[in-house]
Structures are given as structure tokens and as C-alpha cells.
Amino acid sequence: MSGAPQRVVATAPGKINLSLRVGAADERGYHALATVFQAADLLETVEARLPQDPGALTLTVDSRVRGDVPVDTSNLALRAAALLRAETGTTQGAALHITKRVPVAGGMGGGSADAAAALVALNRLWRLGLSDRELMLLGAGLGADVPFAVLGGTALGTGNGDQLQRVPAPAPLTWLLCAPGGHLATPEVFRAFDALAAQADAQPPRTPRADQHQLAALAAGDREAIARSLANELHEPAVHLRPDLQEILSALREHGALGAIVSGSGPTLAALVRDAQHGEEVSARVREDRGDLECTLTRSSPYGARIVAVD
Ligand code: ATP
């Protein structure tokens, strides 16, 4: 095949935070984090084509989930394209098309996955030759979850979540993801975290530490111990803003989930289940009371953003 593709398709995963510890905010208001990310086999797809008009950058979106996705220059895939052009000096254009499957503003990093897939697809379409590491560094400028969407697998994130270190997690995990409708804006959840900490006179640590028990449970592939270790310090502020999340979490546990947490800043809830059949049973029971829940079964994925087609 020639070295000049006309069309490149890339996918990138949504993420689940298996643990999320939150530290003090810096002067810009960004919080230090220690989080264990896991990629889900719930993928965003970005198709990048060379456009009719050579320098044009355009975007269309086909969303399979609820929620409004911006199609203007604030869309993270278009911002990724603009950043790549600014950094490399290329003037090439692209017609981008996103197929969305990750809940919008759901705490699963869907926009970040779009940015990661766009970076990987355009790097190839425009023949820029950047390494994944360089794409991760660029991606960090777009959002703290973008580097992980490039890397994938299971990783410890520190700094603002953008300093990554792979962690061994040999056992594939099955997740039931339930989106309760509506959304939570990440900055609002962090503001609620700060307000609740101030109210309780609590001082979040300057540098939060990773949960070593969780890392050991992941390395051992011990599902029960992993389930026990699921913990999210954004749980309280998310539930403060959306009290119904607590009821759904309790229902997921009562109906047999091994463990359940708010995913990232919510409101998507992630329940660890034994396998797909168990997940279907838990989902059916929980949805008897909350028919409005959109529940999807997925597995952990070893992959980050990757090219799936080139023509
Ligand atoms: P976060 O990474 O902040 O936890 P999230 O997973 O909760 O994000 P996203 O779906 O990534 O939520 O989107 C958060 C907001 O970003 C949306 O409300 C939307 O306005 C904006 N946005 C920009 N680009 C995208 C995109 N490609 N897909 C979805 N939302 C986007």
C-alpha cells in the first residue's frame, strides 16, 4: 500500500477509575490525584479523511448515547486536530467523523477518548511520525484524561491524572456501566469536593498516595479483593449533587454486584460483576425499579487509542 492514506479510522476507550484519591488544589484550581484508571472495551471511533478542500477541518458526530456533543471548535477532537497543526506546522486538513458510545459528561472520559483517537488517526493520515509518548504529552494539554486514553490498559495516574505508569492487572474484569441520565460537570463536582472538605475542616493531602491494596489485588487478579478496594473520593460530592446516585449504588450492590462505584466525577456508575450473564441479571433487577437507567456490559481492555483501518 502507498504511504499516503486517504482515510484512517482509530478507536479509543472510555475509562473507569477503580480508585480515585483527591488532594489539594493548586493555584490554578487543579487537584492533585492518585487514581487507578482502567480502559473499558466501550470505544469511541474517529474516522479521519483527507477533505475535498485541502486545508479544511470539519466534524460530524453520530452519537449512540444521550447528551449533547458540541460540533464546533470546542469539540475535543477538533481541538486535538488544531493542536497537532499548531505543534507540527502542517497545514493539512481533515474531515473527522466521531461515532460516540461512551456516555456524554458521564465521568468516563468520552471527550478525552475522542481527542486521543483523533491524535492517533491524524498522526497517521498526515504522516507526522509522532510517537505515542509524544501524542500523550500533546494530549495532556487538551485534558488530564487524554494521555490515559492514548495509553489504555490499566495504569496509575498521578499529578492531575496525566502522569502515567502501567500497572499489572492480568485478570479481565466485567463491568456493568449504568448511566442514570443527566450529567455532572467535572469542575462542579470538584468545587463540591472543596466545599465539603472546608465544611468538615479537612485538609486534603498535597500529594495523595495510590491505594497499594488495590494495586496488589489487581496484580493478583483477585476479583473479590478488587471489588472491596473500589473507592472514589469524588463519591461524596457527586452524591451531594445527585442524591439518586446513592440509591442506584445500593441497588446494584443489593442485586449482587461484587462492588459498585461512581465512575470518575459521575454520574455513570460502574459495577463489577462476575461475568456477562451475572451482569445481565444485575442489570435486569436494577432496571425493574429504574427503567430510565441505560446499562451496558463491557470488559476491561488492554488497548489504548489504536488504528483499526487505513485506506
Ligand atoms: P471528564 O473527562 O471531564 O471527566 P466526562 O467523561 O465526564 O469528562 P465528556 O463526555 O468527556 O465527559 O464531556 C464533558 C464535556 O466536554 C461535555 O459536556 C461537552 O460539553 C464537552 N466536549 C467537548 N468535546 C467533546 C466530545 N468529543 N465528546 C463529548 N463531549 C465533549
Side-chain angles (χ1 to χ4, degrees), residues 167-243:
V167 299
L173 300 179
T174 306
W175 295 96
L176 177 67
L177 301 170
C178 290
H183 57 261
L184 278 174
T186 305
E188 197 188 344
V189 178
F190 275 103
R191 275 197 296 277
F193 174 90
D194 291 338
L196 290 168
Q199 231 172 56
D201 219 4
Q203 286 285 342
R206 183 169 293 274
T207 313
R209 303 285 217 93
D211 177 354
Q212 297 301 327
H213 292 295
Q214 180 166 74
L215 296 178
L218 283 165
D222 180 344
R223 271 189 196 76
E224 303 287 334
I226 295 168
R228 281 195 301 276
S229 73
L230 298 174
N232 181 355
E233 290 184 355
L234 292 180
H235 168 98
E236 208 186 331
V239 166
H240 180 76
L241 296 167
R242 284 282 305 259

Side-chain angles (χ1 to χ4, degrees), residues 13-289:
K15 54 86 184 168
I16 301 165
N17 299 84
L18 308 190
S19 54
L20 177 54
R21 292 181 170 177
V22 185
D26 64 17
E27 56 290 343
R28 298 165 305 163
Y30 292 157
H31 291 76
L33 303 177
T35 184
V36 175
F37 288 111
Q38 181 157 77
D41 190 23
L42 183 64
L43 304 178
E44 297 285 270
T45 305
V46 174
E47 178 192 67
R49 286 176 182 274
L50 289 179
Q52 302 279 346
D53 169 4
L57 271 183
T58 59
L59 174 70
T60 49
V61 178
D62 170 16
S63 184
R64 312 286 165 91
V65 286
R66 294 187 284 220
D68 292 334
V69 181
V71 288
D72 61 8
T73 50
S74 71
N75 189 292
L76 279 162
L78 277 181
R79 289 184 50 209
L83 180 66
L84 264 186
R85 291 216 291 202
E87 288 289 328
T88 64
T90 184
T91 54
Q92 298 175 83
L96 299 177
H97 180 72
I98 299 176
T99 307
K100 278 203 86 68
R101 294 190 181 79
V102 174
V104 177
M108 291 196 61
S112 301
D114 295 337
L119 287 173
V120 167
L122 291 171
N123 184 40
R124 181 72 164 268
L125 186 74
W126 291 344
R127 291 182 291 157
L128 301 172
L130 298 174
S131 66
D132 277 358
R133 193 164 166 70
E134 287 170 312
L135 294 177
M136 284 165 65
L137 278 171
L138 273 180
L142 296 165
D145 292 339
V146 179
F148 177 72
V150 174
L151 182 72
T154 305
L156 173 63
T158 52
N160 301 127
D162 56 339
Q163 308 291 318
L164 297 172
Q165 202 183 320
R166 279 194 188 283
V167 299
L173 300 179
T174 306
W175 295 96
L176 177 67
L177 301 170
C178 290
H183 57 261
L184 278 174
T186 305
E188 197 188 344
V189 178
F190 275 103
R191 275 197 296 277
F193 174 90
D194 291 338
L196 290 168
Q199 231 172 56
D201 219 4
Q203 286 285 342
R206 183 169 293 274
T207 313
R209 303 285 217 93
D211 177 354
Q212 297 301 327
H213 292 295
Q214 180 166 74
L215 296 178
L218 283 165
D222 180 344
R223 271 189 196 76
E224 303 287 334
I226 295 168
R228 281 195 301 276
S229 73
L230 298 174
N232 181 355
E233 290 184 355
L234 292 180
H235 168 98
E236 208 186 331
V239 166
H240 180 76
L241 296 167
R242 284 282 305 259
D244 62 319
L245 298 184
Q246 185 59 56
E247 289 154 36
I248 308 169
L249 282 174
S250 303
L252 284 163
R253 292 182 190 123
E254 264 163 40
H255 293 309
L258 304 178
I261 39 167
V262 172
S263 174
S265 55
T268 304
L269 304 168
L272 184 60
V273 291
R274 281 195 297 278
D275 51 30
Q277 192 190 337
H278 179 218
E280 297 284 6
E281 287 163 15
V282 175
S283 171
R285 293 204 193 109
V286 169
R287 283 175 37 78
E288 275 171 20
D289 295 333

